[in-house]
């Protein structure tokens, strides 16, 4: 099984990458500053270049993308576009490009988060993007051919990065191993269009 993890140096992406490379023989870790597998998900040409460099992939996991953290009263249109260009359209474009390079019955997994449906101060920009991605996965998963599956993992705050005794968006932080297990669970079933909530 050939697996691509995008965002392989972030909190979630590095945990996914390090776990999977110990369990599978062909795991590729891509990120913006990689010398071997660089990628910028805001740049469609960068996404395409990466897939052209790799062998046919069986599973793509994206854990890259950012958005603005500001209160509603301070958010400008440009602030919204940071998340729209990166976390939203970066992942949407990834799906559009990856579907032409992955094997039949491959799995594509995106990442959103708890803010899609739970409130946290200063996170309006992320909430907008996460909610849009859930709608996209629900619809787009029904139109992919060749048996390609599209799902999304929506974690809460990660314990360690966030105080374990403090709630984020109404929930206590989750342990990174439990989040990684959600990504692994997708390998072991045939679900598509599913939001795997871990909070």
């Amino acid at each position: 099984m050939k697996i691509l993890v995008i965002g392989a140096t972030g909190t979630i992406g590095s945990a996914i990458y390090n776990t999977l490379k110990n369990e599978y023989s062909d795991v590729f870790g891509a990120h913006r500053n990689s010398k071997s597998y660089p990628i910028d998900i805001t740049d469609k040409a960068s996404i395409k270049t990466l897939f052209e460099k790799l062998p046919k992939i069986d599973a793509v996991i994206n854990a890259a993308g950012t958005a603005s953290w500001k209160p509603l009263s301070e958010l400008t249109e440009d602030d919204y576009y940071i998340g729209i260009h990166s976390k939203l359209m970066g992942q949407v474009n990834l799906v559009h490009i990856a579907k032409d390079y992955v094997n039949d019955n491959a799995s594509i997994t995106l990442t959103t988060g708890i803010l899609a449906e739970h409130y946290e101060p200063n996170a309006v920009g992320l909430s907008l993007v996460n909610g849009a991605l859930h709608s996209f996965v629900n619809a787009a998963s029904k139109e992919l051919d060749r048996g390609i599956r599209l799902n999304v993992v929506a974690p809460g705050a990660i314990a360690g990065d966030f105080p374990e005794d403090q709630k984020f968006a109404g929930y206590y932080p989750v342990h990174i191993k439990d989040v990684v297990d959600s990504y692994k669970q997708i390998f072991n079933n045939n679900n598509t269009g599913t939001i795997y909530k871990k909070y």
Side-chain angles (χ1 to χ4, degrees):
M1 189 174 188
K2 293 179 174 61
I3 303 167
L4 170 63
V5 180
I6 299 171
T9 56
T11 297
I12 295 174
S14 62
I16 298 167
Y17 174 69
N18 290 325
T19 299
L20 294 180
K21 75 177 182 178
N22 289 325
E23 300 177 10
Y24 296 90
S25 58
D26 293 309
V27 181
F28 304 91
H31 56 90
R32 186 187 293 269
N33 298 316
S34 172
K35 290 186 172 142
S36 300
Y37 304 109
I39 184 171
D40 176 358
I41 65 167
T42 68
D43 181 352
K44 289 189 289 185
S46 174
I47 299 171
K48 188 172 181 181
T49 297
L50 175 63
F51 278 99
E52 288 177 343
K53 187 181 217 181
L54 293 168
K56 286 278 192 178
I57 297 292
D58 299 297
V60 177
I61 295 172
N62 182 70
T66 190
S68 291
W69 287 80
K70 286 185 179 180
L72 179 67
S73 60
E74 296 179 14
L75 280 169
T76 66
E77 184 173 351
D78 286 341
D79 289 326
Y80 282 111
Y81 281 131
I82 291 171
I84 290 168
H85 287 312
S86 177
K87 192 165 188 180
L88 176 56
M89 288 310 301
Q91 296 196 89
V92 169
N93 286 329
L94 174 64
V95 173
H96 275 276
I97 294 167
K99 67 181 175 53
D100 296 326
Y101 287 90
V102 296
N103 284 319
D104 291 355
N105 304 309
S107 166
I108 301 173
T109 307
L110 308 183
T111 300
T112 56
I114 190 172
L115 298 172
E117 59 179 21
H118 295 287
Y119 170 73
E120 177 70 16
N122 304 325
V124 173
L126 263 170
S127 292
L128 179 148
V129 166
N130 286 347
L133 281 164
H134 287 187
S135 295
F136 169 74
V137 167
N138 176 59
S141 61
K142 296 171 175 61
E143 298 193 12
L144 290 170
D145 58 11
R146 299 194 293 116
I148 296 170
R149 299 184 297 116
L150 175 63
N151 296 285
V152 59
V153 175
I158 305 299
D161 277 7
F162 197 83
E164 292 195 40
D165 60 349
Q166 183 178 330
K167 288 186 177 180
F168 177 84
Y171 288 77
Y172 287 110
V174 293
H175 291 284
I176 190 64
K177 181 184 179 302
D178 294 332
V179 175
V180 172
D181 285 346
S182 292
Y183 290 90
K184 289 171 62 179
Q185 183 182 348
I186 293 169
F187 293 166
N188 300 317
N189 62 47
N190 294 316
N191 290 352
T192 190
T194 301
I195 300 167
Y196 289 78
K197 300 176 185 178
K198 185 55 66 176
Y199 46 81

